[in-house]
Coordinates of all heavy atoms in Angstrom, one line a residue:
M19 N 5.6 2.6 -13.3 CA 4.5 3.3 -12.6 C 4.6 2.8 -11.2 O 4.5 1.6 -11.0 CB 3.1 2.9 -13.3 CG 2.0 3.5 -12.6 SD 0.4 3.2 -13.3 CE 0.4 4.3 -14.6
G20 N 4.6 3.7 -10.3 CA 4.7 3.3 -8.9 C 3.3 3.0 -8.3 O 2.2 3.3 -9.0
L21 N 3.2 2.4 -7.2 CA 1.9 2.1 -6.6 C 1.0 3.3 -6.3 O -0.2 3.2 -6.7 CB 2.2 1.4 -5.2 CG 0.9 1.0 -4.4 CD1 0.1 0.0 -5.3 CD2 1.3 0.4 -3.1
L22 N 1.6 4.4 -5.9 CA 0.7 5.6 -5.7 C 0.2 6.1 -7.1 O -1.0 6.5 -7.1 CB 1.5 6.7 -5.0 CG 1.8 6.4 -3.5 CD1 2.6 7.5 -2.9 CD2 0.6 6.1 -2.7
D23 N 1.0 6.1 -8.1 CA 0.5 6.5 -9.4 C -0.6 5.6 -9.9 O -1.5 6.0 -10.5 CB 1.7 6.5 -10.5 CG 2.6 7.6 -10.3 OD1 2.3 8.6 -9.6 OD2 3.7 7.6 -10.8
F24 N -0.4 4.2 -9.7 CA -1.5 3.3 -10.0 C -2.8 3.6 -9.3 O -3.8 3.6 -9.9 CB -1.0 1.9 -9.7 CG -2.0 0.8 -10.0 CD1 -2.3 0.5 -11.3 CD2 -2.7 0.3 -9.0 CE1 -3.3 -0.5 -11.6 CE2 -3.7 -0.7 -9.2 CZ -4.0 -1.0 -10.5
L25 N -2.7 3.8 -8.0 CA -3.9 4.1 -7.2 C -4.5 5.4 -7.4 O -5.7 5.5 -7.5 CB -3.6 3.9 -5.7 CG -3.2 2.5 -5.2 CD1 -2.7 2.6 -3.8 CD2 -4.3 1.6 -5.3
F26 N -3.7 6.4 -7.5 CA -4.3 7.8 -7.6 C -4.1 8.5 -8.9 O -4.6 9.6 -9.2 CB -3.6 8.7 -6.5 CG -3.8 8.2 -5.2 CD1 -2.7 7.6 -4.5 CD2 -5.0 8.2 -4.6 CE1 -2.9 7.1 -3.2 CE2 -5.2 7.7 -3.3 CZ -4.1 7.1 -2.6
G27 N -3.4 7.8 -9.9 CA -3.2 8.5 -11.2 C -2.0 9.4 -11.2 O -1.7 10.1 -10.3
S28 N -1.2 9.4 -12.2 CA -0.1 10.2 -12.4 C -0.5 11.6 -12.7 O -1.3 11.8 -13.6 CB 0.9 9.7 -13.4 OG 2.0 10.6 -13.6
N29 N 0.0 12.6 -12.0 CA -0.4 14.0 -12.3 C 0.8 14.7 -13.0 O 0.7 16.0 -13.1 CB -0.8 14.7 -11.0 CG 0.4 14.8 -10.0 OD1 1.4 14.3 -10.2 ND2 0.1 15.4 -8.8
T30 N 1.7 14.0 -13.5 CA 2.9 14.7 -14.2 C 2.4 15.6 -15.3 O 2.9 16.7 -15.4 CB 3.9 13.7 -14.7 OG1 4.3 12.9 -13.6 CG2 5.1 14.3 -15.3
K31 N 1.5 15.2 -16.1 CA 1.0 16.0 -17.3 C 0.3 17.2 -16.8 O 0.4 18.3 -17.3 CB 0.1 15.2 -18.2 CG 0.9 14.2 -19.0 CD 0.0 13.5 -20.0 CE 0.9 12.4 -20.8 NZ 0.1 11.7 -21.7
K32 N -0.5 17.1 -15.7 CA -1.2 18.2 -15.1 C -0.2 19.3 -14.6 O -0.3 20.4 -14.7 CB -2.2 17.8 -14.0 CG -3.4 17.2 -14.6 CD -4.4 16.9 -13.4 CE -5.7 16.3 -13.9 NZ -6.6 16.0 -12.7
I33 N 0.8 18.7 -13.9 CA 1.9 19.6 -13.3 C 2.6 20.4 -14.5 O 2.8 21.6 -14.3 CB 2.9 18.8 -12.5 CG1 2.2 18.3 -11.2 CG2 4.1 19.7 -12.2 CD1 3.0 17.3 -10.4
E34 N 2.9 19.7 -15.6 CA 3.5 20.3 -16.7 C 2.6 21.4 -17.3 O 3.1 22.6 -17.6 CB 3.8 19.3 -17.8 CG 5.0 18.4 -17.4 CD 5.2 17.3 -18.5 OE1 4.6 17.3 -19.6 OE2 6.0 16.4 -18.2
D35 N 1.3 21.2 -17.3 CA 0.4 22.1 -17.8 C 0.3 23.4 -16.9 O 0.3 24.5 -17.4 CB -1.1 21.5 -18.0 CG -2.1 22.5 -18.4 OD1 -1.9 23.2 -19.4 OD2 -3.1 22.6 -17.6
F36 N 0.2 23.1 -15.6 CA 0.1 24.2 -14.7 C 1.4 25.0 -14.7 O 1.3 26.2 -14.6 CB -0.1 23.6 -13.2 CG -1.6 23.5 -12.9 CD1 -2.5 22.8 -13.7 CD2 -2.0 23.9 -11.7 CE1 -3.8 22.6 -13.4 CE2 -3.4 23.8 -11.3 CZ -4.3 23.2 -12.2
K37 N 2.5 24.3 -14.8 CA 3.8 25.0 -14.8 C 3.9 25.9 -16.1 O 4.4 27.1 -15.9 CB 4.9 24.0 -14.9 CG 6.3 24.5 -14.9 CD 7.3 23.4 -14.8 CE 8.7 23.9 -15.3 NZ 9.7 22.8 -15.5
K38 N 3.4 25.5 -17.2 CA 3.4 26.4 -18.4 C 2.5 27.6 -18.2 O 2.7 28.7 -18.8 CB 2.8 25.6 -19.6 CG 3.8 24.5 -20.1 CD 3.2 23.8 -21.3 CE 4.1 22.6 -21.7 NZ 3.5 21.7 -22.7
R39 N 1.6 27.5 -17.3 CA 0.6 28.6 -17.0 C 1.1 29.5 -15.8 O 0.3 30.2 -15.2 CB -0.8 28.1 -16.9 CG -1.3 27.5 -18.2 CD -2.8 27.2 -18.2 NE -3.0 26.0 -17.3 CZ -4.0 26.1 -16.4 NH1 -4.8 27.1 -16.3 NH2 -4.3 25.0 -15.7
D40 N 2.4 29.3 -15.5 CA 3.0 30.1 -14.4 C 2.3 29.9 -13.0 O 2.0 30.8 -12.2 CB 2.9 31.6 -14.7 CG 3.9 32.4 -14.0 OD1 4.9 31.9 -13.5 OD2 3.6 33.6 -13.7
A41 N 2.0 28.6 -12.7 CA 1.4 28.2 -11.4 C 2.3 28.6 -10.3 O 3.5 28.6 -10.3 CB 1.1 26.7 -11.4
V42 N 1.6 28.8 -9.1 CA 2.2 29.1 -7.9 C 2.4 27.7 -7.1 O 1.4 27.0 -7.1 CB 1.4 30.1 -7.0 CG1 2.0 30.1 -5.6 CG2 1.3 31.4 -7.7
I43 N 3.6 27.5 -6.6 CA 3.8 26.3 -5.8 C 3.5 26.7 -4.3 O 4.0 27.6 -3.8 CB 5.3 25.8 -5.8 CG1 5.7 25.6 -7.3 CG2 5.4 24.6 -4.9 CD1 4.9 24.6 -8.1
L44 N 2.5 26.1 -3.7 CA 2.0 26.3 -2.4 C 2.4 25.2 -1.4 O 1.8 24.1 -1.6 CB 0.6 26.6 -2.3 CG 0.0 26.9 -0.9 CD1 0.6 28.1 -0.3 CD2 -1.5 27.0 -1.0
D45 N 3.3 25.4 -0.5 CA 3.7 24.4 0.4 C 2.9 24.6 1.7 O 2.8 25.6 2.2 CB 5.2 24.6 0.8 CG 5.8 23.5 1.5 OD1 5.2 22.9 2.4 OD2 6.9 23.1 1.1
V46 N 2.2 23.5 2.1 CA 1.3 23.6 3.2 C 1.8 22.8 4.5 O 1.0 22.6 5.4 CB -0.1 23.0 2.8 CG1 -0.7 23.9 1.7 CG2 -0.1 21.6 2.4
R47 N 3.1 22.6 4.5 CA 3.7 22.0 5.8 C 3.8 23.0 6.9 O 3.5 24.2 6.7 CB 5.1 21.4 5.4 CG 5.1 20.3 4.4 CD 6.4 19.9 3.9 NE 7.2 20.9 3.3 CZ 8.5 21.1 3.4 NH1 9.2 20.2 4.0 NH2 9.1 22.1 2.7
T48 N 4.2 22.5 8.0 CA 4.4 23.4 9.1 C 5.6 24.3 8.9 O 6.4 24.0 8.0 CB 4.7 22.6 10.4 OG1 5.9 21.9 10.3 CG2 3.6 21.6 10.8
Q49 N 5.7 25.4 9.6 CA 6.8 26.4 9.5 C 8.1 25.7 9.7 O 9.1 25.9 8.9 CB 6.7 27.5 10.4 CG 7.7 28.6 10.2 CD 7.5 29.3 8.9 OE1 6.4 29.8 8.6 NE2 8.5 29.4 8.1
K50 N 8.2 24.8 10.7 CA 9.4 24.1 11.0 C 9.8 23.2 9.8 O 11.0 23.1 9.4 CB 9.3 23.2 12.2 CG 10.5 22.5 12.7 CD 10.2 21.8 14.0 CE 11.6 21.1 14.5 NZ 11.3 20.3 15.7
E51 N 8.9 22.5 9.2 CA 9.2 21.6 8.0 C 9.6 22.5 6.9 O 10.6 22.1 6.2 CB 7.9 20.8 7.6 CG 7.5 19.7 8.6 CD 6.2 19.1 8.2 OE1 5.2 19.8 8.1 OE2 6.2 17.9 7.9
Y52 N 9.0 23.5 6.6 CA 9.3 24.4 5.5 C 10.7 25.0 5.7 O 11.5 25.1 4.7 CB 8.2 25.5 5.4 CG 8.4 26.4 4.2 CD1 8.0 26.0 2.9 CD2 8.9 27.7 4.3 CE1 8.1 26.8 1.8 CE2 9.1 28.5 3.2 CZ 8.6 28.0 2.0 OH 8.8 28.8 0.8
D53 N 11.0 25.4 6.9 CA 12.3 26.0 7.2 C 13.5 25.0 7.0 O 14.6 25.4 6.7 CB 12.4 26.6 8.6 CG 11.5 27.9 8.7 OD1 11.1 28.4 7.7 OD2 11.3 28.2 9.9
A54 N 13.2 23.7 7.1 CA 14.2 22.7 6.9 C 14.5 22.4 5.5 O 15.5 21.7 5.2 CB 13.7 21.4 7.7
G55 N 13.7 22.9 4.6 CA 13.9 22.7 3.1 C 12.6 22.8 2.4 O 11.6 22.4 2.8
A56 N 12.7 23.5 1.2 CA 11.5 23.8 0.4 C 11.9 24.0 -1.0 O 13.0 24.3 -1.3 CB 10.7 24.9 0.9
I57 N 10.9 24.0 -1.9 CA 11.1 24.3 -3.3 C 11.4 25.8 -3.4 O 10.6 26.6 -2.9 CB 9.9 23.9 -4.2 CG1 9.7 22.4 -4.1 CG2 10.1 24.4 -5.6 CD1 8.4 21.9 -4.8
S58 N 12.4 26.2 -4.1 CA 12.8 27.6 -4.3 C 11.7 28.3 -5.0 O 11.1 27.8 -6.0 CB 14.1 27.6 -5.2 OG 14.4 28.9 -5.4
G59 N 11.3 29.4 -4.4 CA 10.2 30.3 -5.0 C 8.9 29.9 -4.6 O 7.9 30.5 -5.0
S60 N 8.8 28.8 -3.8 CA 7.4 28.4 -3.3 C 6.9 29.4 -2.3 O 7.6 30.0 -1.6 CB 7.4 27.0 -2.8 OG 8.2 26.9 -1.6
K61 N 5.5 29.4 -2.2 CA 4.9 30.2 -1.1 C 4.5 29.1 0.0 O 4.3 28.0 -0.3 CB 3.6 30.8 -1.6 CG 4.0 31.9 -2.7 CD 2.8 32.7 -3.0 CE 3.0 33.8 -4.1 NZ 3.8 34.9 -3.6
H62 N 4.4 29.7 1.2 CA 4.2 28.9 2.3 C 3.0 29.3 3.1 O 3.0 30.5 3.6 CB 5.4 28.8 3.3 CG 5.1 28.0 4.5 ND1 5.2 28.6 5.8 CD2 4.9 26.7 4.7 CE1 4.9 27.6 6.6 NE2 4.7 26.5 6.0
I63 N 2.0 28.5 3.2 CA 0.8 28.7 4.1 C 0.5 27.3 4.7 O 0.1 26.4 3.9 CB -0.4 29.2 3.3 CG1 -0.1 30.6 2.6 CG2 -1.6 29.3 4.2 CD1 -1.2 31.1 1.7
P64 N 0.7 27.2 6.0 CA 0.4 25.9 6.6 C -1.1 25.5 6.3 O -2.0 26.4 6.2 CB 0.6 26.1 8.1 CG 1.6 27.2 8.1 CD 1.2 28.1 7.0
L65 N -1.3 24.2 6.2 CA -2.6 23.7 5.9 C -3.7 24.3 6.8 O -4.8 24.6 6.3 CB -2.7 22.1 6.0 CG -4.0 21.5 5.7 CD1 -4.6 21.8 4.3 CD2 -4.0 20.0 6.0
N66 N -3.5 24.4 8.1 CA -4.5 24.9 9.0 C -4.8 26.4 8.7 O -5.9 26.8 9.2 CB -3.9 24.8 10.5 CG -3.9 23.4 10.9 OD1 -4.5 22.5 10.4 ND2 -3.1 23.2 12.0
D67 N -4.0 27.1 7.9 CA -4.3 28.5 7.6 C -4.8 28.7 6.2 O -5.2 29.9 5.8 CB -3.0 29.3 7.8 CG -2.4 29.3 9.2 OD1 -3.3 29.1 10.1 OD2 -1.2 29.5 9.4
V68 N -4.9 27.7 5.4 CA -5.3 27.8 4.0 C -6.7 28.4 3.9 O -7.0 29.3 3.2 CB -5.2 26.5 3.2 CG1 -5.9 26.6 1.9 CG2 -3.7 26.1 3.1
S69 N -7.7 27.9 4.6 CA -9.0 28.4 4.6 C -9.2 29.8 4.9 O -9.9 30.5 4.3 CB -10.0 27.6 5.5 OG -10.1 26.3 5.1
S70 N -8.4 30.3 5.8 CA -8.5 31.7 6.2 C -7.7 32.6 5.2 O -7.8 33.9 5.3 CB -7.9 31.9 7.6 OG -6.5 31.6 7.7
K71 N -6.9 32.0 4.3 CA -6.2 32.8 3.3 C -6.7 32.7 1.9 O -6.0 33.2 0.9 CB -4.7 32.3 3.3 CG -4.0 32.4 4.6 CD -3.5 33.8 4.9 CE -2.6 33.8 6.2 NZ -2.0 35.0 6.4
I72 N -8.0 32.3 1.8 CA -8.5 32.1 0.4 C -8.5 33.4 -0.4 O -8.1 33.4 -1.6 CB -10.0 31.5 0.5 CG1 -9.9 30.1 1.1 CG2 -10.7 31.6 -0.8 CD1 -9.2 29.0 0.2
S73 N -8.9 34.5 0.2 CA -9.0 35.7 -0.5 C -7.6 36.2 -0.9 O -7.4 36.6 -2.1 CB -9.6 36.8 0.3 OG -8.9 37.1 1.5
E74 N -6.5 35.9 -0.2 CA -5.2 36.3 -0.5 C -4.7 35.4 -1.7 O -4.1 35.9 -2.7 CB -4.2 36.0 0.7 CG -2.8 36.2 0.3 CD -1.9 35.8 1.5 OE1 -2.3 36.1 2.7 OE2 -0.8 35.3 1.3
I75 N -5.1 34.1 -1.6 CA -4.7 33.1 -2.7 C -5.4 33.5 -4.0 O -4.8 33.4 -5.1 CB -4.9 31.7 -2.2 CG1 -4.1 31.3 -1.1 CG2 -4.7 30.7 -3.4 CD1 -4.4 30.0 -0.3
K76 N -6.6 33.9 -3.9 CA -7.4 34.3 -5.1 C -6.7 35.5 -5.8 O -6.7 35.6 -7.1 CB -8.8 34.6 -4.8 CG -9.7 33.4 -4.6 CD -11.1 33.7 -4.4 CE -12.0 32.5 -4.3 NZ -13.4 32.8 -4.2
Q77 N -6.1 36.4 -5.1 CA -5.5 37.6 -5.6 C -4.2 37.2 -6.4 O -3.8 37.9 -7.2 CB -5.1 38.5 -4.5 CG -6.3 39.2 -3.9 CD -5.9 40.1 -2.7 OE1 -4.8 40.4 -2.4 NE2 -6.9 40.7 -2.1
W78 N -3.7 36.0 -6.2 CA -2.5 35.6 -7.0 C -3.0 35.4 -8.5 O -2.1 35.6 -9.4 CB -2.0 34.2 -6.5 CG -1.4 34.3 -5.1 CD1 -1.1 35.3 -4.4 CD2 -1.1 33.1 -4.3 NE1 -0.7 34.9 -3.1 CE2 -0.7 33.5 -3.1 CE3 -1.2 31.7 -4.6 CZ2 -0.3 32.7 -2.1 CZ3 -0.8 30.9 -3.5 CH2 -0.4 31.4 -2.3
N79 N -4.3 35.1 -8.7 CA -4.8 35.0 -10.0 C -4.0 34.0 -10.9 O -3.8 34.3 -12.1 CB -4.9 36.3 -10.7 CG -6.0 36.3 -11.8 OD1 -6.9 35.6 -11.7 ND2 -5.8 37.2 -12.8
K80 N -3.6 32.9 -10.3 CA -2.8 31.9 -11.0 C -3.2 30.5 -10.5 O -3.7 30.4 -9.4 CB -1.3 32.1 -10.7 CG -0.7 33.3 -11.3 CD 0.7 33.4 -11.0 CE 1.3 34.7 -11.6 NZ 2.7 34.8 -11.4
P81 N -3.0 29.5 -11.3 CA -3.3 28.1 -10.9 C -2.3 27.8 -9.7 O -1.2 28.4 -9.6 CB -3.1 27.2 -12.0 CG -2.3 28.0 -13.1 CD -2.6 29.5 -12.7
V82 N -2.7 26.8 -8.9 CA -1.9 26.5 -7.7 C -1.5 25.0 -7.7 O -2.4 24.2 -7.9 CB -2.6 26.9 -6.4 CG1 -1.8 26.4 -5.1 CG2 -2.9 28.4 -6.3
I83 N -0.2 24.7 -7.4 CA 0.2 23.3 -7.2 C 0.5 23.3 -5.8 O 1.4 23.9 -5.3 CB 1.4 23.0 -8.1 CG1 1.1 23.2 -9.6 CG2 1.8 21.5 -7.8 CD1 2.3 23.0 -10.5
T84 N -0.2 22.5 -5.0 CA 0.0 22.3 -3.6 C 1.1 21.2 -3.4 O 1.2 20.2 -4.1 CB -1.2 22.0 -2.8 OG1 -1.8 20.8 -3.3 CG2 -2.2 23.1 -2.9
C85 N 1.8 21.3 -2.3 CA 2.8 20.2 -1.9 C 2.9 20.2 -0.4 O 2.6 21.1 0.4 CB 4.1 20.4 -2.6 SG 5.1 21.8 -2.0
C86 N 3.4 19.1 0.2 CA 3.6 18.9 1.6 C 4.8 17.9 1.7 O 5.7 17.9 0.9 CB 2.3 18.5 2.3 SG 1.7 16.9 1.8
A87 N 4.7 17.0 2.7 CA 5.8 16.0 2.9 C 5.5 14.7 2.0 O 6.3 14.2 1.4 CB 5.9 15.7 4.4
S88 N 4.2 14.3 2.1 CA 3.9 13.0 1.5 C 2.7 13.2 0.4 O 2.6 12.3 -0.4 CB 3.4 12.0 2.5 OG 2.2 12.4 3.1
G89 N 2.0 14.2 0.5 CA 0.9 14.4 -0.5 C -0.5 14.4 0.2 O -1.5 14.8 -0.5
V90 N -0.6 14.0 1.5 CA -1.9 14.0 2.1 C -2.4 15.4 2.5 O -3.5 15.8 2.1 CB -1.8 13.1 3.4 CG1 -3.1 13.2 4.2 CG2 -1.5 11.7 3.1
R91 N -1.6 16.2 3.1 CA -2.0 17.6 3.5 C -2.2 18.4 2.2 O -3.2 19.2 2.1 CB -1.0 18.2 4.4 CG -1.1 17.6 5.8 CD 0.1 18.2 6.7 NE 1.3 17.7 6.3 CZ 2.5 17.9 6.8 NH1 2.6 18.9 7.8 NH2 3.6 17.4 6.4
S92 N -1.4 18.2 1.2 CA -1.5 19.0 0.0 C -2.8 18.6 -0.8 O -3.3 19.4 -1.4 CB -0.2 18.8 -0.9 OG 0.0 17.5 -1.2
G93 N -3.1 17.3 -0.6 CA -4.4 16.9 -1.3 C -5.6 17.6 -0.6 O -6.5 18.0 -1.3
N94 N -5.6 17.7 0.7 CA -6.6 18.4 1.4 C -6.6 19.9 1.1 O -7.7 20.5 0.9 CB -6.4 18.3 2.9 CG -6.8 16.9 3.4 OD1 -7.6 16.1 2.8 ND2 -6.1 16.5 4.5
A95 N -5.5 20.4 0.9 CA -5.4 21.9 0.6 C -5.9 22.1 -0.8 O -6.7 23.1 -1.1 CB -3.9 22.4 0.6
A96 N -5.5 21.2 -1.8 CA -6.0 21.4 -3.2 C -7.5 21.3 -3.2 O -8.2 22.0 -4.0 CB -5.4 20.3 -4.1
K97 N -8.1 20.3 -2.5 CA -9.6 20.2 -2.4 C -10.2 21.5 -1.9 O -11.2 21.9 -2.4 CB -9.9 19.0 -1.5 CG -11.4 18.7 -1.5 CD -11.6 17.4 -0.7 CE -13.2 17.2 -0.7 NZ -13.5 15.9 0.0
T98 N -9.6 22.0 -0.8 CA -10.1 23.2 -0.2 C -10.1 24.4 -1.2 O -11.1 25.2 -1.4 CB -9.4 23.7 1.1 OG1 -9.5 22.6 2.1 CG2 -9.8 25.0 1.6
L99 N -9.0 24.5 -1.9 CA -8.9 25.6 -2.9 C -9.9 25.4 -4.1 O -10.5 26.3 -4.5 CB -7.4 25.6 -3.5 CG -6.4 26.0 -2.5 CD1 -5.0 25.9 -3.1 CD2 -6.6 27.4 -1.9
N100 N -10.0 24.1 -4.5 CA -11.0 23.9 -5.6 C -12.4 24.2 -5.2 O -13.2 24.7 -6.0 CB -10.9 22.4 -6.1 CG -9.7 22.1 -6.9 OD1 -9.2 22.9 -7.7 ND2 -9.1 21.0 -6.7
N101 N -12.8 23.9 -3.9 CA -14.1 24.2 -3.4 C -14.3 25.6 -3.3 O -15.5 26.0 -3.1 CB -14.2 23.5 -2.0 CG -14.4 22.0 -2.1 OD1 -14.7 21.4 -3.2 ND2 -14.2 21.3 -1.0
N102 N -13.3 26.4 -3.3 CA -13.4 27.9 -3.3 C -13.1 28.6 -4.6 O -12.6 29.7 -4.7 CB -12.5 28.4 -2.1 CG -13.1 28.2 -0.8 OD1 -13.9 28.9 -0.3 ND2 -12.6 27.1 -0.1
S103 N -13.3 27.8 -5.7 CA -13.1 28.3 -7.1 C -11.7 28.7 -7.4 O -11.5 29.7 -8.2 CB -14.1 29.5 -7.3 OG -15.5 29.0 -7.1
I104 N -10.7 28.1 -6.8 CA -9.3 28.3 -7.2 C -8.8 27.0 -7.9 O -9.0 25.9 -7.4 CB -8.5 28.6 -5.9 CG1 -9.0 29.9 -5.2 CG2 -7.0 28.6 -6.3 CD1 -8.3 30.1 -3.9
E105 N -8.3 27.2 -9.1 CA -7.7 26.1 -9.8 C -6.5 25.5 -9.1 O -5.5 26.2 -9.0 CB -7.5 26.5 -11.3 CG -7.1 25.3 -12.2 CD -6.8 25.6 -13.6 OE1 -6.7 26.9 -13.9 OE2 -6.7 24.8 -14.4
A106 N -6.6 24.3 -8.6 CA -5.4 23.7 -7.9 C -5.4 22.3 -8.2 O -6.3 21.6 -8.3 CB -5.6 24.0 -6.4
I107 N -4.1 21.8 -8.1 CA -3.9 20.3 -8.1 C -2.9 20.0 -7.0 O -2.1 20.8 -6.5 CB -3.3 19.8 -9.5 CG1 -2.0 20.5 -9.7 CG2 -4.3 20.0 -10.6 CD1 -1.2 19.9 -10.9
N108 N -3.0 18.7 -6.6 CA -2.1 18.2 -5.5 C -0.8 17.8 -6.2 O -0.7 16.8 -7.0 CB -2.7 17.0 -4.9 CG -1.9 16.4 -3.8 OD1 -0.8 16.9 -3.4 ND2 -2.3 15.3 -3.2
G109 N 0.3 18.4 -5.9 CA 1.6 18.1 -6.4 C 2.3 17.0 -5.6 O 3.4 16.5 -6.0
G110 N 1.7 16.6 -4.5 CA 2.3 15.6 -3.6 C 3.4 16.0 -2.8 O 3.5 17.2 -2.4
G111 N 4.3 15.1 -2.5 CA 5.5 15.4 -1.6 C 6.4 16.5 -2.3 O 6.6 16.4 -3.5
W112 N 6.9 17.4 -1.5 CA 7.7 18.5 -2.1 C 8.9 18.0 -2.8 O 9.3 18.5 -3.9 CB 7.9 19.6 -1.1 CG 9.0 19.3 -0.1 CD1 8.9 18.6 1.0 CD2 10.4 19.6 -0.2 NE1 10.0 18.5 1.7 CE2 11.0 19.1 1.0 CE3 11.2 20.3 -1.1 CZ2 12.3 19.3 1.2 CZ3 12.5 20.4 -0.9 CH2 13.1 19.9 0.3
K113 N 9.6 17.0 -2.3 CA 10.9 16.5 -2.9 C 10.6 15.9 -4.3 O 11.3 16.1 -5.2 CB 11.6 15.5 -2.0 CG 12.2 16.2 -0.8 CD 12.9 15.2 0.1 CE 13.5 15.9 1.3 NZ 14.3 15.0 2.2
S114 N 9.5 15.1 -4.4 CA 9.1 14.5 -5.6 C 8.6 15.6 -6.6 O 9.0 15.5 -7.8 CB 7.9 13.5 -5.3 OG 7.4 13.0 -6.5
L115 N 7.9 16.5 -6.1 CA 7.4 17.6 -7.0 C 8.6 18.4 -7.6 O 8.6 18.7 -8.7 CB 6.4 18.6 -6.2 CG 5.9 19.8 -7.0 CD1 5.2 19.4 -8.3 CD2 5.1 20.6 -6.1
E116 N 9.6 18.7 -6.7 CA 10.8 19.5 -7.1 C 11.4 18.8 -8.3 O 11.9 19.5 -9.3 CB 11.7 19.6 -6.0 CG 12.9 20.5 -6.2 CD 13.7 20.8 -5.0 OE1 14.0 19.8 -4.2 OE2 14.0 21.9 -4.7
K117 N 11.5 17.5 -8.3 CA 12.1 16.7 -9.5 C 11.3 16.9 -10.7 O 11.8 16.9 -11.8 CB 12.2 15.2 -9.1 CG 13.2 15.0 -8.0 CD 13.3 13.5 -7.6 CE 14.1 13.3 -6.4 NZ 14.1 12.0 -5.9
K118 N 10.0 17.0 -10.6 CA 9.1 17.1 -11.8 C 9.1 18.5 -12.4 O 8.8 18.8 -13.5 CB 7.7 16.8 -11.4 CG 7.5 15.3 -11.1 CD 6.1 15.1 -10.6 CE 5.9 13.6 -10.1 NZ 4.6 13.3 -9.6
L119 N 9.6 19.5 -11.6 CA 9.6 20.9 -12.0 C 10.9 21.1 -12.8 O 11.1 22.0 -13.5 CB 9.5 21.9 -10.8 CG 8.2 21.8 -10.1 CD1 8.2 22.7 -8.8 CD2 7.0 22.2 -10.9

């Protein structure tokens, strides 16, 4: 168990559950970061645009796993989505999440 898992709890089981329910991977990094590498099939909405895209995200009608570079921005995005009645979890850094998928 890594330090971050100890502090914040491992979300591997939640990710597996969301994956079984055909969750959407939402990358909230900047366009430049996303263009440099991303999880295949992921959707991209920079964190600053998430709030204005809530109605679009709701239309996906699927749970959402957010990701970014380290997990901080994706944590903020997941909280914003949850506060708007969208089932979402923070998948953390995209490279780490990719390994869990």
Side-chain angles (χ1 to χ4, degrees):
M19 178 180 280
L21 178 61
L22 292 177
D23 285 343
F24 176 75
L25 292 173
F26 302 109
S28 175
N29 62 359
T30 303
K31 288 183 181 181
K32 284 185 180 180
I33 290 169
E34 289 174 7
D35 173 55
F36 272 50
K37 185 178 160 189
K38 287 178 187 173
R39 295 189 290 132
D40 200 26
V42 173
I43 307 300
L44 176 61
D45 194 315
V46 298
R47 296 175 297 150
T48 65
Q49 186 68 52
K50 185 176 179 180
E51 289 173 300
Y52 186 79
D53 290 345
I57 296 173
S58 178
S60 65
K61 295 192 181 283
H62 177 243
I63 300 174
L65 178 60
N66 291 340
D67 297 335
V68 168
S69 292
S70 66
K71 302 280 187 173
I72 293 296
S73 60
E74 175 185 326
I75 296 167
K76 282 185 176 184
Q77 290 178 4
W78 299 345
N79 202 27
K80 294 182 180 184
V82 177
I83 303 172
T84 60
C85 66
C86 63
S88 68
V90 175
R91 288 175 285 179
S92 55
N94 289 333
K97 185 176 180 179
T98 297
L99 296 176
N100 286 322
N101 288 341
N102 285 278
S103 303
I104 297 169
E105 187 178 12
I107 59 169
N108 180 5
W112 76 272
K113 288 182 181 180
S114 173
L115 176 60
E116 188 172 44
K117 291 176 186 173
K118 294 176 184 176
L119 298 173

